[in-house]
Amino acid sequence: MTLDPLFSSRCQAAWKTGIRYAKQAVSGSNSLGLAVLYFAAAFLYTKTTDSLSATIWTQLAAALLTAGLVAPASVRTFLRKADLALLAPSPYPMVSYLRSAFLYSLLLQLASMLLLAAIVNPLYVQTARSPQSILLLAVCLLVLKAWSVDLHWRHLRLKRDSLLLLLIRWVLVSLFLYGLWTSSYLYLGGSLLLMAILTIQAAAGSARYHLPWLELIERENRRIDLYYSVLNLFIDVPHKRKKVRGRAWAVYLFDRLTGAKRDAYLFLLVRHVIRTGETFAIYLRLSAVALVILAWAQSPVLMYALCLLSLAAAGKQVTQHIRTIIHPPAIRLLPISSGQRQKAAMRLCLAILGLLAAGLAVVILSKAAPVLHKLALIAICLIWSAILTLYFLRNQTASPTYHSLPKH
């Protein structure tokens, strides 16, 4: 496939920028938490699929959920506001460019369907009435995604692409997948007929219209903003300003746990860590997933590994945030030593990890196991929290957070 030179150059530049940010995100403080969440989700998915059976409700739910990942479609155009000058007096110079954008987006989304087929296949085998090979599932997903992308592109030309049309695509894809799950030719034939009618209707109308350039440019800007918002969860992206959230309940809780109101720097540090950035939100999600999986876990090895990994992930995120906080000058110039700042950071980190360890302890005590084994695991969690705090905050006095006043 030969791409338009302008589109190809922009696509390569976007990939280089994305890869550079991805490397920074992988090496960032939240990557360990993301890995824990990934393996936790995989574990829950495996356990859930193994417990399902081929009933009408599981088949319908599987079709609806899979369709929710197939029906959405988009076309990455890399258009910019300056491109409007190329459209006068007609859009002809951009025909090759937009054709390349459509083919590139189509191939990228078809590749994602191959990955989706591998993920959905265990669910398909477990819940379908007469499951076929993964090849049939993959072909069906590829055809449905290609139809969704094509119809989305035609509706854009008609300026009709909306939530209602996405819902229509989702319903038709769900009907087709439900027919595949139940081996019903009625649902398969009916959905294919409706898809053909909708495509013919859109094709007949879209031929008379040009693409809405301003809408395409606005969509591209929103997509880039979304990418930066996702990246900002893992690394500091200069394009996005950090949001400040109230979280009064968490501030009140950690004020009590740390005694922050008796220490000016700790008082400010608690509010920075709890209110700014996404670190505390990721800590809450990580804690919730760890507690749910621990409640399901039966293997002692899995329980020990989960407790140690979840505490390590939370400790790395929190301490990385503490070390990289840049306070306003008035706070940085507080007349306190580096050791006092270090002590305040350790108290906060111990409180955060101790709270997670307490939640793990409640779940551990509720499980059917020898009391001595449960108490030993709880003791290990508490000791591990202290070790992690000392390890992650060891000799970290170089950042602006910990600078002491200059000596004269």
Side-chain angles (χ1 to χ4, degrees):
M1 181 183 67
T2 303
L3 295 178
D4 181 83
L6 178 60
F7 179 84
S8 179
S9 63
R10 291 182 178 179
C11 181
Q12 291 177 9
W15 273 96
K16 289 180 181 178
T17 303
I19 292 173
R20 185 177 74 251
Y21 275 124
K23 290 180 179 178
Q24 296 177 17
V26 169
S27 61
S29 62
N30 294 331
S31 57
L32 181 58
L34 183 65
V36 173
L37 289 176
Y38 169 78
F39 286 109
F43 174 79
L44 287 176
Y45 177 72
T46 303
K47 286 290 186 180
T48 302
T49 53
D50 290 343
S51 63
L52 296 176
S53 58
T55 65
I56 184 174
W57 298 111
T58 56
Q59 292 165 349
L60 180 60
L64 292 174
L65 292 175
T66 307
L69 299 174
V70 178
S74 62
V75 175
R76 186 75 194 273
T77 60
F78 300 105
L79 286 174
R80 302 170 184 173
K81 290 184 179 180
D83 293 334
L84 292 174
L86 301 175
L87 305 178
S90 70
Y92 174 75
M94 298 295 288
V95 169
S96 175
Y97 181 96
L98 292 175
R99 185 183 298 113
S100 298
F102 175 79
L103 292 176
Y104 164 79
S105 301
L106 177 62
L107 291 177
L108 203 62
Q109 292 174 74
L110 290 180
S112 69
M113 289 300 101
L114 297 177
L115 177 61
L116 180 62
I119 296 174
V120 172
N121 187 59
L123 179 63
Y124 173 66
V125 171
Q126 194 73 18
T127 59
R129 176 177 298 174
S130 54
Q132 304 298 320
S133 66
I134 187 176
L135 181 61
L136 177 62
L137 177 63
V139 169
C140 291
L141 294 181
L142 290 173
V143 172
L144 293 172
K145 174 57 78 172
W147 172 77
S148 298
V149 174
D150 179 73
L151 193 64
H152 162 79
W153 191 238
R154 296 181 187 279
H155 281 151
L156 270 180
R157 190 180 295 272
L158 292 169
K159 299 182 182 181
R160 294 179 186 171
D161 190 68
S162 62
L163 182 61
L164 177 60
L165 292 172
L166 173 60
L167 181 62
I168 292 174
R169 293 202 303 269
W170 176 65
V171 170
L172 293 181
V173 172
S174 299
L175 286 175
F176 183 94
L177 291 175
Y178 183 71
L180 178 66
W181 248 262
T182 58
S183 301
S184 172
Y185 292 105
L186 176 62
Y187 286 106
L188 288 172
S191 60
L192 286 174
L193 178 61
L194 293 175
M195 290 163 63
I197 292 174
L198 195 60
T199 302
I200 293 172
Q201 182 184 16
S206 62
R208 300 192 302 269
Y209 296 92
H210 295 306
L211 285 166
W213 304 104
L214 293 176
E215 174 65 18
L216 290 177
I217 293 172
E218 181 61 27
R219 284 172 179 261
E220 182 66 21
N221 292 336
R222 289 200 300 265
R223 182 190 296 272
I224 294 174
D225 187 67
L226 176 61
Y227 286 167
Y228 285 139
S229 298
V230 173
L231 283 170
N232 200 48
L233 300 178
F234 304 96
I235 57 175
D236 290 327
V237 179
H239 306 77
K240 300 295 293 183
R241 297 183 60 185
K242 288 186 177 295
K243 295 181 180 180
V244 178
R245 296 173 174 83
R247 293 179 178 142
W249 63 272
V251 171
Y252 175 81
L253 175 62
F254 284 100
D255 278 346
R256 291 299 184 91
L257 291 176
T258 61
K261 292 187 177 180
R262 297 189 296 271
D263 186 320
Y265 180 75
L266 182 57
F267 180 86
L268 297 171
L269 187 63
V270 167
R271 281 148 182 79
H272 269 273
V273 172
I274 301 302
R275 291 176 173 174
T276 62
E278 293 293 328
T279 297
F280 189 71
I282 293 177
Y283 162 79
L284 292 177
R285 291 192 288 269
L286 175 64
S287 301
V289 172
L291 293 174
V292 170
I293 298 179
L294 184 63
W296 281 28
Q298 300 296 330
S299 170
V301 175
L302 178 61
M303 292 171 59
Y304 275 87
L306 181 63
C307 291
L308 297 179
L309 285 176
S310 60
L311 287 169
K316 190 175 190 300
Q317 293 166 18
V318 172
T319 52
Q320 180 71 16
H321 190 182
I322 291 174
R323 290 196 304 268
T324 55
I325 289 175
I326 301 179
H327 292 307
I331 301 176
R332 292 204 302 269
L333 295 177
L334 280 173
I336 58 177
S337 67
S338 177
Q340 290 174 300
R341 297 175 189 267
Q342 188 88 346
K343 183 179 178 180
M346 286 185 173
R347 286 170 62 183
L348 176 57
C349 184
L350 275 175
I352 291 176
L353 294 184
L355 185 63
L356 176 55
L360 296 173
V362 172
V363 178
I364 291 169
L365 290 174
S366 66
K367 300 183 74 66
V371 177
L372 289 178
H373 291 177
K374 293 190 288 188
L375 293 178
L377 181 54
I378 293 171
I380 290 174
C381 289
L382 295 175
I383 296 172
W384 183 238
S385 299
I387 292 174
L388 289 171
T389 301
L390 294 173
Y391 174 77
F392 285 127
L393 291 174
R394 68 192 188 285
N395 301 324
Q396 298 292 341
T397 59
S399 79
T401 304
Y402 300 110
H403 273 193
S404 57
L405 290 174
K407 297 180 180 180
H408 297 284

